[in-house]
């Protein structure tokens, strides 16, 4: 693997760094999981789009820059280095969009991607249900064919839809063949949340953020054009989305490289707390952040050469979710009693605890690694 950057890639980095240095908000934005904060974040993301930075690796016709995956990684590094705000459009841009590029029709891509890039259509993920969390194949929400109307009628409930209270659209799985085996008979739908028969009910988390929502479907009609991929083949389409969610697009290494650097800065600012074992801890997680970047570079090399990550995306998810917790635990140890107050590190720690759960619990990811990568038997 060549770990050096080309002249054009370094020029891309310099351009991104210069733009971010003059445009990133000087004061942190409110949480994107509150209504007021979400609106502020949208203002920022629309500014990104206007300057051509919201989806750098997409084709220009959809609002991108035709940047390579390497350049996307560079931009992500610079984005986090600049302390730029969290991306509240990430479920659409980082999860749904790669699936649209792979499975969508030209009409779907031409219609949906430009509005997604411009933060006009805002997408939430309709995976979890009251009886189906990590067991995605256990979903019960159904879609029944309406031949006369030329579409489908959706019934059921989705829950834990991140920022669903603020979004305009939902992507998710519905059962279209009740007699089929668990992983079969599922279809992937793209649903406007203002569709008659769809009810969005927001609710607060324990920390007071209000973006989570339950979404109810009561005979909600969607046309055939709302199907992504083939009818009854939704599992394959959904696995492409989960590969993005568990892999590098949702949690690029730039996020952890910057967090590790901030941790080192925190240790330098608290020398009285930096006893030898804690110094070792900070050093270890800094090295682990560097290791995650190297793993990602190897993965992108495979992708550029036409090899899909497949089940290896579960390795990504295991690594970044547990690294996130270790980073924040080290910070709280450095802060001592101050770490128990409301501050960016304590809030980050609370959020990191969800990492081993969302995007597929780590217990499930370890089963995938054991069976599909190591070839171990189920029992």
């Amino acid at each position: 693997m060549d770990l050096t950057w080309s002249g054009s890639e370094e020029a891309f980095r310099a351009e991104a760094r210069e733009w971010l240095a003059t445009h990133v908000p000087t004061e942190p934005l409110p949480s994107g999981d509150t209504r007021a904060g979400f609106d502020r974040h949208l203002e920022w993301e629309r500014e990104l789009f206007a300057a051509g930075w919201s989806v750098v690796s997409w084709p220009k016709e959809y609002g991108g820059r035709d940047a390579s995956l390497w350049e996307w990684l560079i931009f992500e590094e610079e984005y986090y280095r600049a302390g730029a705000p969290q991306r509240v459009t990430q479920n659409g841009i980082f999860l749904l969009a790669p699936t649209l590029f792979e499975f969508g029709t030209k009409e779907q891509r031409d219609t949906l991607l430009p509005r997604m890039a411009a933060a006009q259509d805002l997408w939430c993920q309709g995976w979890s249900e009251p009886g189906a969390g990590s067991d995605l194949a256990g979903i019960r929400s159904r879609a029944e064919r309406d031949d006369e109307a030329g579409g489908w009628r959706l019934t059921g409930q989705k829950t834990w839809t991140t920022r669903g209270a603020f979004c305009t659209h939902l992507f998710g799985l519905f059962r279209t063949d009740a007699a089929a085996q668990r992983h079969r008979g599922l279809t992937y739908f793209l649903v406007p949340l203002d569709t008659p028969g769809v009810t969005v009910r927001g609710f607060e988390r324990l920390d007071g953020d209000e973006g989570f929502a339950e979404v109810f479907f009561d005979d909600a009609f969607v046309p055939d054009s709302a199907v992504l991929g083939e009818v009854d083949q939704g599992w394959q389409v959904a696995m492409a989305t989960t590969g993005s969610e568990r892999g590098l697009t949702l949690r690029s290494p730039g996020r952890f490289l910057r967090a590790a650097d901030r941790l080192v800065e925190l240790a330098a600012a608290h020398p009285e707390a930096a006893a030898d074992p804690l110094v070792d801890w900070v050093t270890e997680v800094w090295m682990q952040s560097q290791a995650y970047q190297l793993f990602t570079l190897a993965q992108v090399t495979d992708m550029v050469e036409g090899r899909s990550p497949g089940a290896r995306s579960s390795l990504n998810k295991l690594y970044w979710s547990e690294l996130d917790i270790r980073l924040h635990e080290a910070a709280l140890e450095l802060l001592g009693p101050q770490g128990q107050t409301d501050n960016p590190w304590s809030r980050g720690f609370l959020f990191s605890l969800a990492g081993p759960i969302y995007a597929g619990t780590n217990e499930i990811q370890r089963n995938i690694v054991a069976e599909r990568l190591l070839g171990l038997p189920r029992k």
Side-chain angles (χ1 to χ4, degrees), residues 246-316:
R246 295 166 186 166
L248 63 91
T249 56
L250 184 63
R251 293 290 180 260
S252 68
R255 173 190 177 110
F256 301 102
L257 292 173
R258 178 54 187 147
D261 286 344
R262 287 175 53 227
L263 181 63
V264 171
E265 294 164 4
L266 184 67
H270 291 78
E272 73 287 351
D276 286 345
L278 194 49
V279 169
D280 291 344
W281 190 350
V282 172
T283 303
E284 180 182 358
V285 294
W286 185 90
M287 293 172 63
Q288 289 170 346
S289 299
Q290 298 293 320
Y292 181 57
Q293 183 194 35
L294 293 174
F295 177 83
T296 299
L297 293 175
Q299 190 178 66
V300 172
T301 298
D302 283 343
M303 294 170 68
V304 169
E305 295 178 357
R307 296 184 292 273
S308 172
R312 292 186 70 200
S313 63
S314 291
L315 289 173
N316 287 57

Side-chain angles (χ1 to χ4, degrees), residues 224-243:
D224 287 328
S225 59
V227 173
L228 180 58
E230 300 296 327
V231 173
D232 293 337
Q233 300 299 313
W235 186 258
Q236 179 186 3
V237 186
M239 290 304 97
T241 303
T242 58

Side-chain angles (χ1 to χ4, degrees), residues 113-259:
L113 290 172
R115 294 184 58 82
M116 186 188 300
Q120 294 174 329
D121 291 346
L122 312 169
W123 292 84
C124 60
Q125 185 182 54
W127 274 181
S128 297
E129 298 183 6
S134 293
D135 182 17
L136 182 58
I139 65 168
R140 297 181 179 179
S141 293
R142 65 185 189 275
E144 296 180 352
R145 180 70 189 158
D146 187 334
D147 289 321
E148 183 176 348
W152 301 82
R153 297 198 174 274
L154 309 180
T155 303
Q157 178 185 354
K158 302 293 181 179
T159 192
W160 308 120
T161 52
T162 302
R163 302 188 191 96
F166 312 142
C167 288
T168 62
H169 290 70
L170 173 144
F171 60 90
L173 283 180
F174 291 78
R175 193 163 293 283
T176 44
D177 184 352
Q181 295 180 358
R182 284 164 39 85
H183 296 84
R184 304 179 185 276
L186 299 170
T187 301
Y188 197 119
F189 284 91
L190 308 172
V191 186
L193 290 176
D194 62 358
T195 300
V198 175
T199 300
V200 179
R201 183 182 299 165
F203 60 90
E204 290 186 355
R205 301 190 314 219
L206 289 177
D207 61 5
D209 286 351
E210 55 189 328
F212 268 176
E214 296 176 297
V215 184
F216 300 87
F217 303 86
D218 183 12
D219 198 36
F221 176 79
V222 293
D224 287 328
S225 59
V227 173
L228 180 58
E230 300 296 327
V231 173
D232 293 337
Q233 300 299 313
W235 186 258
Q236 179 186 3
V237 186
M239 290 304 97
T241 303
T242 58
S244 298
E245 184 177 26
R246 295 166 186 166
L248 63 91
T249 56
L250 184 63
R251 293 290 180 260
S252 68
R255 173 190 177 110
F256 301 102
L257 292 173
R258 178 54 187 147

Side-chain angles (χ1 to χ4, degrees), residues 34-61:
T34 63
R35 170 60 69 184
F38 188 81
D39 291 341
R40 291 282 302 281
H41 280 260
L42 287 183
E43 292 176 10
W44 160 248
E45 298 210 30
R46 287 164 183 163
E47 184 178 356
L48 271 181
F49 172 74
W53 292 111
S54 67
V55 287
V56 295
S57 62
W58 291 15
K60 290 182 179 179
E61 62 185 301

